[in-house]
Amino acid sequence: LAAEVEAFRQSVISRARDTQPRAQALYQRLGLPADWAGAKRVFVVPHGPLHYLPFQALHDGQQYLVAKVALGVWPSSGVGTQLLARGPQPPRALLAFGNPSTDRNVPLPGAEREVQQLAALFERRSVFTQRDATKAAFKERSGQASLLHVAAHAEVDEVDPLFSRILFASDAADTGLLEAREIFGIKLDGVSLVTLSACESGLGRVARGDEILGFTRSFLSAGASSVIASLWPVSDESTELLMGRLYRDLAAGADLMTAMQAAQVEVQKNRRFAHPFFWAPFNVIGNGRMQLGN
């Protein structure tokens, strides 16, 4: 199963022609039902290699699973039910970082447009781009927002995932590298959603307790109710479209899982982005029924 999941993931990343047959084979291998009538939301508690499987991109022979149900991921059933039971969310306030200036990677103009478009949806917002998108600004302000959005490069450390890093703006005095282990020390109890609009931000290492060590664990442990993270390198352009639809629906009152489902289906309908590589990288992790406060 681990080999099949990895082969499917690599097929998606390379945008191969065998992606859909592999998606159908895994759908059957996992014994998923043909009829999802009556189910609006499905929470997945993955085990082992299934942590890296985009369930939304599985195919029943007629359509992708995302067209049938809204999907969310729980690190464990205990953590999931605890997050689901949280009370009303705090008033909506967006803190967004986009296209940080860094000498370690290429610029992301689409990420900058992405955060500017999202900011227009919220009256209370703070947006930092290019040289202003610093690690210091993130650490100082992240606990004051209910929505935390980071559109930047990320690097996964496969040896020690807690040393995985988000690349914020760098200068002569600061490399701008925010490591996953540092996030444990930031108080994020008031944060409803952390969106890591970055490459492979949902990867890490499956620990003995069957939980992914990396950014997801760091943000949830720091107090965030939910996290959006990616399973492979993302397209700048399609991600901009997906996040735009996702946040418009959230701002209009939709819950997080339903908003992600609608966004993934919409991007999939664009012929340029019909392959799962473009629309399926992001998972909703944690409280997928989260709705924004007024």
Side-chain angles (χ1 to χ4, degrees):
L1 180 59
E4 288 183 42
V5 170
E6 182 57 22
F8 174 56
R9 185 171 166 273
Q10 291 303 323
S11 174
V12 173
I13 292 172
S14 62
R15 289 171 256 180
R17 293 183 178 181
D18 66 349
T19 297
Q20 188 169 310
R22 289 185 181 276
Q24 290 179 235
L26 278 167
Y27 195 105
Q28 297 299 322
R29 172 76 182 269
L30 295 173
L32 299 181
D35 185 6
W36 294 84
K40 293 183 178 180
R41 299 181 184 86
V42 173
F43 291 95
V44 178
V45 184
H47 176 74
L50 298 184
H51 281 285
Y52 283 3
L53 178 63
F55 279 78
Q56 58 271 16
L58 296 181
H59 201 283
D60 68 356
Q62 296 183 333
Q63 57 188 339
Y64 289 104
L65 184 54
V66 70
K68 293 174 173 282
V69 292
L71 291 151
V73 176
W74 285 350
S76 70
S77 57
V79 170
T81 52
Q82 183 181 20
L83 293 173
L84 210 62
R86 289 193 173 181
Q89 301 300 311
R92 59 183 72 184
L94 173 71
L95 175 63
F97 295 82
N99 190 25
S101 297
T102 171
D103 56 4
R104 293 175 62 94
N105 224 317
V106 297
L108 296 169
E112 189 166 344
R113 292 193 303 268
E114 177 183 315
V115 297
Q116 297 292 359
Q117 291 171 9
L118 302 185
L121 298 170
F122 302 95
E123 292 184 5
R124 300 176 58 193
R125 75 270 186 158
S126 298
V127 177
F128 296 86
T129 61
Q130 298 190 27
R131 294 194 178 278
D132 293 329
T134 64
K135 173 181 172 180
F138 177 89
K139 296 182 76 171
E140 178 184 350
R141 294 173 175 261
S142 55
Q144 304 167 18
S146 53
L147 298 172
L148 183 55
H149 189 95
V150 180
H153 286 292
E155 297 175 345
V156 176
D157 189 320
E158 296 181 356
V159 176
D160 189 342
L162 293 182
F163 282 86
S164 298
R165 49 211 166 262
I166 299 170
L167 278 60
F168 286 97
S170 59
D171 56 32
D174 187 0
T175 62
L177 302 181
L178 177 69
E179 295 175 343
R181 63 188 180 89
E182 298 178 74
I183 296 165
F184 285 98
I186 304 174
K187 187 175 178 60
L188 300 177
D189 293 343
V191 176
S192 303
L193 171 64
V194 177
T195 299
L196 300 176
S197 185
C199 295
E200 300 182 324
S201 53
L203 304 188
R205 188 181 72 237
V206 181
R208 291 182 63 187
D210 199 35
E211 180 183 2
I212 287 284
L213 297 178
F215 291 121
T216 298
R217 179 173 179 178
S218 297
F219 279 107
L220 292 177
S221 296
S225 293
S226 49
V227 175
I228 292 175
S230 63
L231 293 173
W232 54 78
V234 299
S235 161
D236 201 23
E237 193 173 354
S238 60
T239 298
E240 181 183 349
L241 293 176
L242 185 144
M243 291 299 171
R245 173 61 192 266
L246 171 74
Y247 276 83
R248 284 197 301 273
D249 283 5
L250 282 176
D255 68 77
L256 180 56
M257 288 169 69
T258 303
M260 178 61 81
Q261 179 188 27
Q264 291 180 332
V265 169
E266 179 174 301
V267 174
Q268 181 189 149
K269 290 179 180 177
N270 185 316
R271 292 183 62 184
R272 293 175 56 204
F273 304 133
H275 194 279
F277 170 81
F278 296 102
W279 57 263
F282 292 101
N283 275 342
V284 169
I285 305 163
N287 182 9
R289 286 164 57 182
M290 182 275 294
Q291 291 177 283
L292 298 181
N294 294 319

